[in-house]
Amino acid sequence: MSLKDQILTSDDITIEHVDVPEWGVTVELRSLDVDSFTAIQRASTNHKGDADLRQVYLSMLVAGVYDPETGQPVFSDADKPALAQKSMKVTERLVSSLNRLSGMGDKADIPAAVDAEGKGS
């Protein structure tokens, strides 16, 4: 197997199971891939290049939260209005974990990335 094939076929998505006592469940968090990250950037940036933090948080939950038993995503875009009504404490904890798993640090820093890369795109 060539080096390229080895890299392209490697499973580099990080998975972590997280207890959410406020919801009475355990969820599976998966690190974001490049396509998910850039889709969140695009969906969360207006024509001026400003990031909508609400959209960032909700999109990250949709992209990164999975059912540990089925391996299926828990949420879809249709769930965003209901997710927006959930505790910021829980949301921040999950989004921070998704950022950490995705190599973006502990805090949601997609707006900074949008500012650096998204303006004028």
Side-chain angles (χ1 to χ4, degrees), residues 14 19 26 29 31 44 64 84 94 107 110 114:
T14 305
D19 291 326
T26 297
L29 299 182
S31 60
S44 304
L94 293 174
K107 290 292 187 185
I110 289 182
V114 169

mmCIF file of all heavy atoms in Angstrom, residues 14 19 26 29 31 44 64 84 94 107 110 114:
data_model
loop_
_atom_site.group_PDB
_atom_site.id
_atom_site.type_symbol
_atom_site.label_atom_id
_atom_site.label_comp_id
_atom_site.label_asym_id
_atom_site.label_seq_id
_atom_site.Cartn_x
_atom_site.Cartn_y
_atom_site.Cartn_z
ATOM 1 N N THR A 14 -11.791 11.143 15.639
ATOM 2 C CA THR A 14 -11.733 10.825 17.061
ATOM 3 C C THR A 14 -13.147 10.729 17.618
ATOM 4 O O THR A 14 -13.999 11.561 17.316
ATOM 5 C CB THR A 14 -10.953 11.919 17.817
ATOM 6 O OG1 THR A 14 -9.672 12.064 17.211
ATOM 7 C CG2 THR A 14 -10.788 11.577 19.274
ATOM 8 N N ASP A 19 -21.096 11.620 29.002
ATOM 9 C CA ASP A 19 -22.329 11.614 29.789
ATOM 10 C C ASP A 19 -22.888 13.026 29.845
ATOM 11 O O ASP A 19 -22.143 13.990 30.057
ATOM 12 C CB ASP A 19 -22.061 11.127 31.215
ATOM 13 C CG ASP A 19 -21.701 9.651 31.271
ATOM 14 O OD1 ASP A 19 -22.234 8.876 30.450
ATOM 15 O OD2 ASP A 19 -20.884 9.287 32.135
ATOM 16 N N THR A 26 -26.023 9.373 27.482
ATOM 17 C CA THR A 26 -24.632 9.414 27.033
ATOM 18 C C THR A 26 -24.674 9.580 25.525
ATOM 19 O O THR A 26 -25.437 8.885 24.839
ATOM 20 C CB THR A 26 -23.898 8.112 27.407
ATOM 21 O OG1 THR A 26 -23.868 7.993 28.826
ATOM 22 C CG2 THR A 26 -22.480 8.105 26.871
ATOM 23 N N LEU A 29 -19.522 11.787 20.696
ATOM 24 C CA LEU A 29 -19.044 12.957 19.972
ATOM 25 C C LEU A 29 -17.992 12.511 18.980
ATOM 26 O O LEU A 29 -17.138 11.681 19.306
ATOM 27 C CB LEU A 29 -18.444 13.980 20.935
ATOM 28 C CG LEU A 29 -19.379 14.542 22.001
ATOM 29 C CD1 LEU A 29 -18.636 15.573 22.848
ATOM 30 C CD2 LEU A 29 -20.623 15.146 21.388
ATOM 31 N N SER A 31 -15.102 13.937 16.117
ATOM 32 C CA SER A 31 -14.374 15.107 15.618
ATOM 33 C C SER A 31 -14.889 15.453 14.221
ATOM 34 O O SER A 31 -15.316 14.584 13.463
ATOM 35 C CB SER A 31 -12.871 14.832 15.599
ATOM 36 O OG SER A 31 -12.554 13.729 14.773
ATOM 37 N N SER A 44 -22.528 29.727 8.746
ATOM 38 C CA SER A 44 -22.512 30.613 9.903
ATOM 39 C C SER A 44 -21.957 32.003 9.596
ATOM 40 O O SER A 44 -21.764 32.799 10.495
ATOM 41 C CB SER A 44 -21.675 29.980 11.023
ATOM 42 O OG SER A 44 -22.166 28.710 11.347
ATOM 43 N N GLY A 64 -21.724 16.861 15.077
ATOM 44 C CA GLY A 64 -20.829 16.059 15.891
ATOM 45 C C GLY A 64 -21.425 15.152 16.941
ATOM 46 O O GLY A 64 -20.711 14.379 17.563
ATOM 47 N N ALA A 84 -31.793 25.233 20.254
ATOM 48 C CA ALA A 84 -31.518 26.602 20.693
ATOM 49 C C ALA A 84 -32.161 26.901 22.044
ATOM 50 O O ALA A 84 -31.760 27.854 22.722
ATOM 51 C CB ALA A 84 -31.998 27.601 19.640
ATOM 52 N N LEU A 94 -20.561 20.535 25.338
ATOM 53 C CA LEU A 94 -20.479 19.648 24.171
ATOM 54 C C LEU A 94 -19.687 20.287 23.034
ATOM 55 O O LEU A 94 -18.841 19.625 22.412
ATOM 56 C CB LEU A 94 -21.878 19.253 23.701
ATOM 57 C CG LEU A 94 -22.674 18.372 24.668
ATOM 58 C CD1 LEU A 94 -24.092 18.175 24.158
ATOM 59 C CD2 LEU A 94 -21.981 17.041 24.915
ATOM 60 N N LYS A 107 -12.380 26.022 23.320
ATOM 61 C CA LYS A 107 -13.497 26.924 23.120
ATOM 62 C C LYS A 107 -13.923 26.917 21.656
ATOM 63 O O LYS A 107 -13.129 26.643 20.757
ATOM 64 C CB LYS A 107 -13.120 28.355 23.521
ATOM 65 C CG LYS A 107 -12.956 28.525 25.005
ATOM 66 C CD LYS A 107 -14.298 28.368 25.663
ATOM 67 C CE LYS A 107 -14.234 28.701 27.132
ATOM 68 N NZ LYS A 107 -15.489 28.441 27.778
ATOM 69 N N ILE A 110 -14.639 28.795 15.909
ATOM 70 C CA ILE A 110 -14.952 28.849 14.480
ATOM 71 C C ILE A 110 -15.140 30.287 14.015
ATOM 72 O O ILE A 110 -14.685 30.642 12.949
ATOM 73 C CB ILE A 110 -16.148 27.950 14.127
ATOM 74 C CG1 ILE A 110 -15.725 26.496 14.234
ATOM 75 C CG2 ILE A 110 -16.655 28.237 12.722
ATOM 76 C CD1 ILE A 110 -16.771 25.487 13.867
ATOM 77 N N VAL A 114 -13.473 31.827 10.787
ATOM 78 C CA VAL A 114 -14.255 32.449 9.724
ATOM 79 C C VAL A 114 -13.674 33.812 9.407
ATOM 80 O O VAL A 114 -13.490 34.177 8.252
ATOM 81 C CB VAL A 114 -15.741 32.570 10.123
ATOM 82 C CG1 VAL A 114 -16.494 33.450 9.144
ATOM 83 C CG2 VAL A 114 -16.382 31.200 10.201
#
